[in-house]
Amino acid sequence: MPEPSKKKLDLHRREMPKQPPEVRRRNFNEVALGYPVETAVEEAQRCLNCPKPSCISGCPVEIDIPRFIQCIAAKDFAAGIRVIKEKNCLPAVCGRVCPQEEQCEAACLLKKRGGQIAIGRLERFLADWEAAQGELEIPPVPPPTGRRVAVVGGGPAGLTVAGDLIRLGHAVTIFEALHKMGGVLVYGIPEFRLPKAIVHREVNYLRRLGVQIVTDFVVGKTRTVDSLLEEYDAVFIGSGAGLPWFMKIPGENLNGVYSANEYLTRMNLMKGFLFPKFRTPIKEHRRVAVIGGGNVAMDCARTALRLGAEVRIVYRRSREELPARAEEIENAEEEGVIFDFLTLPVRYIGDGNGWVKEMECLRMKLGEPDASGRRRPIPIEGSEYRLPVDAVVCAIGNSPNPLIAATTPGLEVGKNGNIVVDEETGKTSRERVWAGGDVVTGAATVILAMGAGRKAARSIHEYLCSL
Amino acid sequence: MAELRATQMLVPNMHLLTVFAPEVARGMRPGQFVIVRAEEEGERIPLSVADWDEAEGTLSIVFMNVGGTTNALAALPAGSTLPTVVGPLGKPTEIDHYGTVLCVGGCYGIGSIFPIARALHQAGNRVIVVLEARSSFLLFWEERLRSVADALHIITRDGSKGLRGHVGRLAEIIAAAQPIHRILVNGCTFLLKRVADVSKPFAIKTMVSLNPIMIDGTGMCGVCRVSVAGATQFACVDGPDFDGHQVDWQELLQRRKQYVREETLAYRSSRGEEHRICQGHAHA
Ligand SMILES: Cc1cc2nc3c(=O)[nH]c(=O)nc-3n(C[C@H](O)[C@H](O)[C@H](O)COP(=O)(O)OP(=O)(O)OC[C@H]3O[C@@H](n4cnc5c(N)ncnc54)[C@H](O)[C@@H]3O)c2cc1C
Ligand SMILES: Cc1cc2nc3c(=O)[nH]c(=O)nc-3n(C[C@H](O)[C@H](O)[C@H](O)COP(=O)(O)OP(=O)(O)OC[C@H]3O[C@@H](n4cnc5c(N)ncnc54)[C@H](O)[C@@H]3O)c2cc1C
Ligand code: SF4
Ligand code: FES
């Protein structure tokens, strides 16, 4: 291997082919098409294989990034995917939805020169390469320890805990409220960004490792955590952030005003875009306003666009403060989503038959930074104006669903309903109960949920071994 | 997944299902519901539970065939498998010793009011049951309800049995049986609203089991929101029972109509006419 300093710097990031905007705004197929082999190898060869790689510290699960990249450069893809899987059981998902520009890629040494390695795209490349080889290799599972763990929720946090513990020989059962596994990956994130076949493949992999999966089971309703504790040695709660927020402004219950969760669940989990073959209806609207500026808002906007609507994102700050991933903002812009910045809805106006017809908005200006470090939006008095709409999707946030906290005595929760845990171990205030992911942090990211799952699995394993 | 143990058409268009779902039956309480899918591509619909047997592990559900999903359910033979039966969902009906209670059931609510009447009876209340139907041939479970009631009245629109007319005639029953300490109503939205209207002048607390559109039934999607006493509530987790004198009926009736056009399409398609509203093809 040559000394990094002697290698000539290639600062030209390889582009990943995408469906052209005019085409993709009419279909639900995946937008980004992935690197072809030669491009992946070229991109990998740009990596300096730094002696003190800073990229690894940017990764919440500490994937040995330079090592897997060198495998691609050497065209040993099988070795590369093994390196990733030492740390990350959902590479095809993370390679697609992680905010790499803020994580590993932000820490890449080449970033200062504007040519950071496309780590996420390379991760995705290896995961897709592996999938193309046919059935996934099933690693040997150690002999059963006789210990049993119940995992609540089939999202990224729960999947990670289950994967880690089954490979340590513990029996694992996942209880999922919906009829499909994957959490937000199946009910929230649209097909065009994360094909559901990928999530199913990962879930099947866990199944083949021996994880028991029980869908249509609401913990706190079908059975309580306490009742699970009678049968299981430990319980992990990864129930996510499912409770949608509304703004509590007049007209919010008019027909045509949706929560992002409703809109996306109809489309993704229930496949509303294939209605009526799939039976859950979704409306065709002409003018849709999406309130919010995060990934959820982008997903709603791009979905509505694909159903033929004129779509605007209404956001109370400016473009700079948009919390969504850069790539998704660009995709939305390319596809023709209109952005109304510095705009705050104050009420919805009905058409007299119960349907939303207009929304009244206020113009905003930015003041001093607030607690979140972002500049605070301040309404400009007298700036009210009306926008004609026939649908509004409210994508302003979620907090944890209270079902479990309400039925588990002694489980400490914070003021937003989030479960309180010890950060290093994921232990809750209840004996033998761990928690992690969005239910602890509030709406966050896939990789952070997985990281929390990993820590909890380690702590649960320690506990089980002490029995 | 749950096995359909038995099916029966009780009266025209009204069906009784017996479903094997032991985990669900175990925790069931009066007034709770389940979410059901009839087929893999199917919608999730809420259905109240009309009875259950913990030892057998079964649930009884009474439903009216009104659209795509209920039509598919009605067509399933015993022995089929339902892809989803999840529950028990919602808060149980508050059962207490009130004194005299009036249990009103119409439509499928004749089924779902039964476990409520039974529990109230067991709690030592004087239970008066009122059944409402268009005509006598649409009544069912009369004897079953009589067995848990101190008195039973019937109102039919055509007068073929009991009092003739609309639920407005409930006023006479209420007036005659005073004091009544609480009224509980199950059935279609129109019935719920009418009973609440009738009982309001008597100032008797009237609990109605609301039936807005739902998807997940766990408080995640927000589609089931209703305005009660000026505040937004999620019927699936805060309800389904609410004080009928505090419900914004106008809003509820409007919200229930959101998908009428699409549902008509779906109903037709469930009979073989295919349509698509978008060009995308996806990986199911
Ligand atoms: C539309 C959208 C787009 C997003 N885009 C991105 C992105 O691009 N990149 C990114 O990193 N993150 C993104 N996120 C955030 C990310 O998806 C979440 O942070 C992550 O999924 C959290 O994982 P989790 O396992 O904690 O919870 P979830 O994924 O929410 O899974 C929780 C699971 O628990 C189940 N459950 C809940 N209550 C119960 C119960 N009582 N009993 C049994 N099961 C229960 C739920 O049905 C669900 O399946 C997005 C989120 C949304 C909504
Ligand atoms: C908590 C709860 C409990 C419920 N319990 C029961 C139950 O025990 N038995 C039962 O039959 N239904 C019950 N319902 C109503 C039931 O969920 C709907 O009838 C069902 O969703 C209809 O689905 P569908 O696809 O067959 O009809 P859709 O195609 O969705 O509806 C077809 C048409 O019928 C109308 N419609 C829908 N429901 C009703 C109704 N109940 N009465 C009159 N018109 C209606 C719709 O507005 C629409 O115009 C309950 C609803 C809730 C929220
Ligand atoms: S910091 Fe960048 S260049 Fe260095 S090893 Fe990591 S990815 Fe390669
Ligand atoms: S049905 Fe989704 S929140 Fe009530």
Side-chain angles (χ1 to χ4, degrees), chain A residues 200-220:
Chain A
H200 296 165
R201 194 174 74 218
E202 301 295 354
V203 171
N204 268 338
Y205 177 71
L206 286 185
R207 228 184 229 126
R208 286 171 57 211
L209 280 172
V211 173
Q212 297 292 315
I213 290 174
V214 183
T215 49
D216 295 322
F217 192 108
V218 185
V219 176

Side-chain angles (χ1 to χ4, degrees), chain B residues 177-199:
Chain B
Q178 281 276 46
I180 289 171
H181 303 95
R182 182 168 284 228
I183 300 178
L184 300 101
V185 202
N186 273 221
C188 66
T189 312
F190 187 69
L191 175 82
L192 304 178
K193 177 181 183 311
R194 285 298 303 269
V195 174
D197 290 345
V198 170
S199 71

Side-chain angles (χ1 to χ4, degrees), chain A residues 54-104:
Chain A
S54 46
C55 50
I56 300 184
S57 58
C59 171
V61 296
E62 298 175 5
I63 297 175
D64 190 341
I65 293 168
R67 191 149 63 88
F68 93 70
I69 294 184
Q70 293 315 309
C71 294
I72 302 180
K75 299 192 183 161
D76 188 351
F77 306 136
I81 188 72
R82 269 197 299 274
V83 173
I84 295 183
K85 287 209 160 165
E86 286 166 13
K87 300 283 179 162
N88 183 342
C89 54
L90 301 172
V93 174
C94 291
R96 285 171 167 81
V97 304
C98 272
Q100 292 100 7
E101 73 271 17
E102 295 168 11
Q103 299 177 164
C104 53

